[in-house]
């Protein structure tokens, strides 16, 4: 349903020599985590999910061409990013959708600024104008036991495993 189809998310890869924490998720050395907001394509409810995009993309052999912008993070930037993800309002609506979540968190943690609009075709245009490159984004292939939903936000936030129904909706 162009121009409202599409999905926007964050992906953090651990290139350090020790585990890192992204949001509420501990990322082992050499692995990565995708973080995105979901609604109707998840059977576990609206909100923030960890590794669902990476799982779904790898299930499809990473064949999708994506527009991506990359940024290196030092420890302080990683801690800020993690706090912003964990503290984000954990829900979804037409206005607080995947693009709004991604761009809101990105804007707090980057020199790039993207208007968190609700129409994916416009967000794609913003990414292109912001210097995004198109291509296959290689992401770590998480196992089904590495896919989580964030329950709550802030200090009360926790991760819970997703149901098989969400996995099967891939």
């Amino acid at each position: 349903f162009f121009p409202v189809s599409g999905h926007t998310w964050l992906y953090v890869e651990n290139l350090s020599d020790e585990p890192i924490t992204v949001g509420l998720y501990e990322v082992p050395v050499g692995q990565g985590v995708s973080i995105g907001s979901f609604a109707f394509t998840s059977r576990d409810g609206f909100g923030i999910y960890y590794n669902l995009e990476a799982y779904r993309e790898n299930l499809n052999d990473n064949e999708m061409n994506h527009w991506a912008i990359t940024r290196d993070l030092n420890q302080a930037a990683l801690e800020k990013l993690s706090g912003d993800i964990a503290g984000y309002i954990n829900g979804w609506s037409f206005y607080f959708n995947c693009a709004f979540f991604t761009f809101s968190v990105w804007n707090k943690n980057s020199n790039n600024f993207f208007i968190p609009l609700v129409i994916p075709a416009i967000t794609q245009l913003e990414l292109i104008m912001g210097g995004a490159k198109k291509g296959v984004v290689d992401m770590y292939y998480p196992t089904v036991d590495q896919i989580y939903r964030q329950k709550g936000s802030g200090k009360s936030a926790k991760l819970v495993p997703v149901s098989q129904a969400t996995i099967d909706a891939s």
Side-chain angles (χ1 to χ4, degrees):
F1 301 114
F2 184 83
V4 294
S5 62
H7 186 59
T8 309
W9 69 89
L10 300 167
Y11 180 76
V12 179
E13 187 174 2
N14 184 357
L15 302 176
S16 75
D17 56 1
E18 55 189 67
I20 62 171
T21 300
V22 178
L24 302 174
Y25 186 80
E26 185 173 292
V27 182
V29 174
Q31 295 184 18
V33 61
S34 62
I35 308 103
S37 179
F38 283 87
F40 304 107
T41 58
S42 168
R43 303 298 182 255
D44 289 301
F46 295 2
I48 299 170
Y49 285 77
Y50 293 73
N51 278 327
L52 192 52
E53 294 91 354
Y55 179 81
R56 288 178 175 177
E57 289 301 315
N58 279 289
L59 194 63
N60 295 316
D61 295 325
N62 265 334
E63 294 176 359
M64 300 296 285
N65 278 318
H66 300 287
W67 290 96
I69 293 179
T70 60
R71 177 174 185 260
D72 291 332
L73 300 171
N74 61 27
Q75 185 62 36
L78 178 61
E79 289 172 9
K80 181 172 180 341
L81 175 73
S82 291
D84 290 340
I85 293 168
Y88 192 82
I89 298 168
N90 192 11
W92 190 96
S93 73
F94 182 74
Y95 296 105
F96 294 102
N97 62 11
C98 62
F100 197 93
F101 163 75
T102 302
F103 284 179
S104 295
V105 172
W106 178 270
N107 288 341
K108 290 180 180 180
N109 292 278
S110 173
N111 292 331
N112 295 76
F113 180 82
F114 298 104
I115 301 168
L117 299 171
V118 297
I119 300 173
I122 295 174
T123 61
Q124 179 179 329
L125 180 60
E126 282 191 88
L127 288 170
I128 293 167
M129 291 171 50
K133 305 291 185 228
K134 185 173 185 178
V136 174
V137 176
D138 290 321
M139 292 186 282
Y140 169 75
Y141 195 172
T143 59
V144 295
D145 64 333
Q146 292 177 298
I147 304 171
Y148 294 93
R149 175 179 179 223
Q150 182 173 312
K151 297 276 280 193
S153 61
K155 293 180 182 185
S156 66
K158 64 181 180 176
L159 292 182
V160 295
V162 298
S163 70
Q164 190 63 44
T166 290
I167 303 290
D168 292 344
S170 304

